[in-house]
Amino acid sequence: ALPRTLEGVHVAISAGGTREALDPVRFIGNRSSGKQGYALARVAAQRGARVTLVAGNTADLATPAGVDLVRIGSAVELREAMHEVAADADVVVMAAAVADFRPVSLTGHKIKKTDGDPDPIALTKNPDILVELVAARRPGQLVVGFAAETGDETTSVLDYGRAKLRRKGCDLLVLNAVGDGKAFEQEDNAGWLLSPDGSEIAIPHGPKTQVASAVWDAVTARLTQPQ
Ligand code: C5P
């Protein structure tokens, strides 16, 4: 049996992708499978945590044993659910793939086919839930974010990750290199754990449960360290 290092700790985890409705039957979505968030929930529960998993659209995944599941659709619903659950959580992990934008207006009826060109879809920005959760953080609460980055000629994946950690203000950032079929919809993952004190832990390439274990090891070290 695993050591129950998260006994008495309430963790709130978001997973999967949001769906931004255009009309009653259509939405804008993304390819997030939810596998990394579900792996985080499973490992946390195995380590004794009370786990609330807030899930958007995911692949066909079984709810891990002992985990409370809350279903959401859109980013705005996810925001509401996360604020509610975070108010009672010791650790908050934003592993969901939140749509950056949503349609300005939701058409009450199915959008009709027209002979001419369709109207463009007007979009508006969604709230950054992670930034909001950091701002609303309770004393002693840890907030963990995710970043999926690609590097380019001028800036490395790590530099993009460091900048995102500063911008979001979270206590830990799980940085994944993406592109070339990495991370999204895959069974495996790899990356780094970045924290504001400058520490950078490389996570070796492996199953998403292994990445989850690395995250909970780092969280446990911070929870037990005097603040
Ligand atoms: O800015 P970017 O989307 O790369 O940041 C990723 C992190 O921010 C993830 O933890 C994701 O769950 C969170 N996020 C959020 N609200 C958004 C966009 C991203 O909480 N609107």
Side-chain angles (χ1 to χ4, degrees):
L2 285 168
R4 295 177 67 81
T5 46
L6 290 170
E7 192 85 63
V9 178
H10 180 202
V11 307
I13 303 166
S14 70
T18 67
R19 288 178 161 185
E20 309 301 321
L22 282 160
D23 71 15
V25 294
R26 303 186 180 97
F27 58 82
I28 300 173
N30 62 64
R31 294 189 188 279
S32 171
S33 66
K35 284 177 185 167
Q36 186 60 72
Y38 272 62
L40 283 158
R42 190 175 327 111
V43 173
Q46 285 168 347
R47 293 187 181 194
R50 174 155 83 86
V51 182
T52 308
L53 178 59
V54 180
N57 184 63
T58 65
D60 188 15
L61 304 175
T63 307
V67 167
D68 287 328
L69 185 73
V70 177
R71 281 263 172 218
I72 59 89
S74 66
V76 169
E77 287 171 19
L78 175 61
R79 171 202 220 176
E80 198 169 315
M82 286 310 289
H83 279 290
E84 197 176 316
V85 178
D88 180 53
D90 303 295
V91 184
V92 179
V93 184
M94 278 298 296
V98 186
D100 293 318
F101 306 105
R102 67 175 180 276
V104 170
S105 54
L106 170 66
T107 311
H109 57 82
K110 188 176 166 201
I111 299 165
K112 300 283 184 245
K113 221 173 288 184
T114 50
D115 288 335
D117 287 336
D119 287 335
I121 298 166
L123 299 175
T124 187
K125 237 181 169 157
N126 269 327
D128 192 313
I129 303 166
L130 178 56
V131 167
E132 287 186 359
L133 291 168
V134 166
R137 192 168 33 187
R138 307 189 300 149
Q141 189 180 57
L142 287 176
V143 180
V144 182
F146 270 73
E149 303 287 346
T150 50
D152 51 46
E153 300 78 33
T154 55
T155 312
S156 67
V157 171
L158 261 171
D159 282 337
Y160 277 117
R162 290 176 188 125
K164 185 153 292 181
L165 174 67
R166 277 194 298 276
R167 203 161 57 240
K168 302 274 185 177
C170 49
D171 302 294
L172 204 61
L173 188 79
V174 187
L175 171 64
N176 300 128
V178 294
D180 310 326
K182 280 184 278 202
F184 267 57
E185 300 176 295
Q186 302 299 309
E187 299 301 332
D188 290 0
N189 217 343
W192 295 267
L193 284 173
L194 309 184
S195 41
D197 64 10
S199 88
E200 299 181 353
I201 302 170
I203 308 170
H205 191 262
K208 287 182 172 175
T209 44
Q210 196 174 298
V211 174
S213 296
V215 172
W216 293 124
D217 287 349
V219 165
T220 304
R222 279 163 183 76
L223 285 175
T224 51
Q225 156 189 307
Q227 309 237 345

